[in-house]
Amino acid sequence: MAVLLGRHVSTDAMHQHVLKIPASAWTPTLESDGKVRNGPWVAELTGKLLNG
C-alpha cells in the first residue's frame, strides 16, 4: 500500500497509524470532474490518532 501524507512520520509509525483507521473512515478519491478514481482511497489522520 502506498501512502501519501502532508506530514512527515516514520514509515513504521505511519503503518501503525493507518492500521488503526476504521474501514468506514476510508473514502474513494475523485477525479477533477467528480468521478470516482479507480483504486486510491483516502482517510484523515487527526492529531488525536497520531498522538495515540
Side-chain angles (χ1 to χ4, degrees):
M1 172 186 355
V3 178
L4 178 63
L5 301 169
R7 177 182 170 143
H8 175 73
V9 294
S10 73
T11 302
D12 185 54
M14 177 47 58
H15 180 73
Q16 295 306 311
H17 292 308
V18 169
L19 292 175
K20 295 176 186 177
I21 301 172
S24 61
W26 291 93
T27 305
T29 57
L30 303 176
E31 297 288 355
S32 59
D33 62 4
K35 293 181 182 176
V36 174
R37 289 183 64 188
N38 184 17
W41 286 61
V42 296
E44 184 175 356
L45 288 172
T46 64
K48 183 177 179 181
L49 181 61
L50 290 172
N51 294 327

